[in-house]
Amino acid sequence: AARLNPLDLYDVRSLLSDEERMVQDTVGRFVDEKVLPIIGDCFDQGRFPKELIPEIANLGLLGATIPEKYGCAGMNGVSYGLICQELERGDSGLRSFASVQSSLCMYPIYAYGSEEQKMHYLPKMAAGEVIGCFGLTEPHGGSDPANMKTNAKKDGGDWVINGAKMWITNGNIAQIAIVWAQTEDGIQGFIVPTDTKGFTAQEVHKKMSLRASVTSALFFDNVRVPEANRLPNVKGLKGPLGCLTQARYGITWGPIGAAQACLKEVLDYTQERVLFGRPLASNQAIQLKMADMARRITSAQLLSLQLGRLKDAGKMEPTQVSLAKWNNCRMAIDIARECRDILGGAGITVEHSAIRHALNLESVITYEGTETVHQLVVGRELTGINAF
Ligand code: TGC
Ligand code: FAD
């Protein structure tokens, strides 16, 4: 009988539709041909491969679930998940770029914006001509966004924004920022063109994680935008949290790709590496580790697929997203670290991908709600007691 696919032991792929498989194959090919050959160097040099944006856009990967009316691909949630999985098999930084553009910038315009805002921004964002960033986190503490200090005050027909945001993906390459600010009426969202007077973005350097991604601090010094730039259809923390649910859903899929990349690498490496007169793969201690990786990847695949089916049926709950974000990030970071170990000294350079994925996943397990935040969301669901 044919051997099982070590990266998909339960043939989860057979549960996908033809269209979903096609999306996965298309993105997979792009990652194999265009991303893997350059990404180690990008990480080493601390460079986001901006030159890939046009092709990512051409493949329909930006705002992929938004209807075609707005220049987007109109795919389902499972296809979006597969996009995230394949991109992150390349690098978490590339998946971050797509998550932020799709779920954190295009989604709020689509879900909370006026028809004029949607027609104006979404087609250009799908085409990769307008890049967005999402400013929620502030320097004094990201886990508790309700306590934000950035504020927007009404002044005639305009809004004047003051404050600062921290750790903002795409900050220095964005043409627009989706900025969440405190107003007299609670938290509201604004579309801020990054060439507006008083707006500055300052890139964060010396990162040891997500090096192939742009991360920035944003500063707002009397930044003035017209009322037409306010997202009219949401008020309160549920605005940004609703975007986070979309992005976190995609992030449950992404780390599966990172873990698959790492497992594939050590499966190959341990066949070739001969120590004590036999391939490394023939040692029980090594097989146990790799079997355990396959077990954890398989569980994560089934979790994300069912989450995606719930999402496409309109039944996905934020607590379910929290559980999967927690589980799948933990799964992947543990696997990446073990793979780094199995590679020995060879595991410490970017010639192999394990250390790059392991370091990237330090960000992935922290952003979009830390592991602890997601554990406490699940705890609150189980007990009815808010322990934050
Ligand atoms: P609470 O005050 O209870 O709720 C406020 C309102 O929001 C609603 N809600 C949600 N809606 C949609 N999705 C969710 N996940 C939601 N969670 C809550 C809720 O029903 C309520 O609505 P209403 O109508 O009653 O006003 O807020 P909470 O107690 O649930 O929130 C606490 C906590 C800690 C869970 C929340 O503050 C939190 O999630 N903190 C973590 C912040 C975070 O994740 N930041 C991420 C920043 S963006 C980022 O990291 C991008 S990285 C991207 C990349 O590079 O890939
Ligand atoms: P803090 O909130 O200060 O948390 C510090 C520690 O305290 C954590 O371990 C946390 O789990 C723990 N903790 C917090 N509350 C509790 C509690 N009640 N009980 C027990 N422990 C607790 N944000 C954006 O808005 N947009 C972006 O595009 C974006 N991109 C990012 C890119 C990168 C590379 C990184 C690293 C971050 C990004 N973030 C972004 C910010 C990210 O969402 C925050 O870092 C994250 O939400 C945590 O906030 P914090 O860093 O302020 O940590």
Side-chain angles (χ1 to χ4, degrees):
R3 305 253 317 265
L4 299 174
N5 176 354
L7 305 182
D8 184 11
L9 277 187
Y10 267 45
D11 199 9
V12 173
R13 191 172 148 93
S14 68
L15 298 172
L16 303 177
S17 69
D18 288 345
E19 193 190 330
E20 289 159 354
R21 274 193 287 265
M22 201 182 75
V23 171
Q24 180 172 27
D25 291 345
T26 306
V27 186
R29 225 172 8 252
F30 165 72
V31 168
D32 288 338
E33 289 171 7
K34 301 287 169 67
V35 179
L36 295 182
I38 63 166
I39 199 67
D41 286 341
C42 290
F43 185 94
D44 184 34
Q45 294 155 9
R47 182 179 84 80
F48 170 67
K50 242 174 121 172
E51 66 274 18
L52 298 178
I53 295 176
E55 191 162 348
I56 291 174
N58 279 340
L59 292 173
L61 310 188
L62 301 177
T65 60
I66 293 173
E68 291 168 46
K69 177 182 170 193
Y70 299 112
C72 302
M75 295 179 197
N76 68 3
V78 168
S79 297
Y80 172 53
L82 290 162
I83 292 171
C84 291
Q85 180 179 309
E86 290 304 314
L87 289 179
E88 197 149 354
R89 189 166 62 74
D91 191 85
S92 305
L94 208 62
R95 198 269 309 135
S96 279
F97 168 79
S99 290
V100 169
Q101 179 80 349
S102 300
S103 288
L104 296 182
C105 296
M106 296 175 74
Y107 174 81
I109 292 172
Y110 173 65
Y112 314 136
S114 66
E115 196 56 34
E116 295 74 52
Q117 290 170 341
K118 293 184 215 188
M119 292 309 283
H120 181 70
Y121 288 107
L122 294 177
K124 289 182 200 149
M125 296 179 81
E129 290 159 16
V130 170
I131 302 302
C133 66
F134 176 90
L136 178 65
T137 304
E138 300 193 351
H140 60 273
S143 298
D144 182 17
N147 185 32
M148 72 172 59
K149 298 189 177 13
T150 298
N151 62 79
K153 294 209 166 74
K154 196 95 204 251
D155 182 28
D158 293 342
W159 290 85
V160 178
I161 304 173
N162 279 289
K165 300 286 177 182
M166 188 57 194
W167 307 115
I168 306 304
T169 300
N170 294 351
N172 277 77
I173 58 167
Q175 282 77 39
I176 61 164
I178 303 292
V179 179
W180 298 95
Q182 202 60 255
T183 71
E184 271 185 357
D185 266 351
I187 291 170
Q188 299 202 63
F190 298 87
I191 305 171
V192 178
T194 55
D195 59 4
T196 310
K197 188 163 168 276
F199 176 98
T200 34
Q202 201 173 83
E203 199 166 342
V204 176
H205 294 292
K206 305 189 184 182
K207 285 186 299 176
M208 304 302 284
S209 174
L210 230 63
R211 289 182 53 74
S213 169
V214 174
T215 312
S216 312
L218 309 183
F219 301 96
F220 306 85
D221 178 12
N222 288 316
V223 170
R224 185 175 282 271
V225 294
E227 163 67 14
N229 285 32
R230 184 177 64 87
L231 296 173
N233 298 324
V234 77
K235 283 199 176 102
L237 194 59
K238 67 170 181 289
L241 290 184
C243 306
L244 295 186
T245 295
Q246 305 300 314
R248 290 166 176 174
Y249 160 74
I251 293 176
T252 75
W253 289 83
I256 296 170
Q260 287 174 320
C262 294
L263 174 56
K264 172 83 174 57
E265 190 166 71
V266 295
L267 284 171
D268 293 345
Y269 187 83
T270 56
Q271 295 280 345
E272 302 293 323
R273 188 82 173 162
V274 176
L275 296 164
F276 301 99
R278 59 187 187 274
L280 205 47
S282 63
N283 291 287
Q284 288 188 354
I286 297 291
Q287 287 197 13
L288 284 179
K289 283 184 188 175
M290 297 194 301
D292 203 46
M293 291 178 201
R295 172 181 67 79
R296 285 178 284 169
I297 289 173
T298 301
S299 315
Q301 285 171 316
L302 291 167
L303 210 54
S304 279
L305 182 61
Q306 170 62 1
L307 192 65
R309 296 295 179 222
L310 288 170
K311 184 177 200 297
D312 285 328
K315 291 184 186 154
M316 182 178 84
E317 290 294 328
T319 303
Q320 296 167 333
V321 180
S322 282
L323 187 137
K325 200 269 181 185
W326 157 25
N327 183 78
N328 293 9
C329 291
R330 172 52 60 189
M331 170 283 293
I333 196 168
D334 288 347
I335 286 177
R337 287 169 177 169
E338 278 166 26
C339 288
R340 208 297 308 150
D341 174 69
I342 290 173
L343 293 165
I348 74 154
T349 80
V350 293
E351 295 296 322
H352 291 91
S353 68
I355 196 160
R356 176 169 53 81
H357 284 299
L359 290 169
N360 281 340
L361 287 158
E362 296 287 348
S363 287
V364 181
I365 204 169
T366 295
Y367 66 34
E368 297 276 1
T370 64
E371 183 172 61
T372 306
V373 161
H374 292 296
Q375 290 168 326
L376 294 178
V377 167
V378 175
R380 180 171 66 180
E381 182 76 28
L382 298 180
T383 62
I385 301 169
N386 186 349
F388 286 105

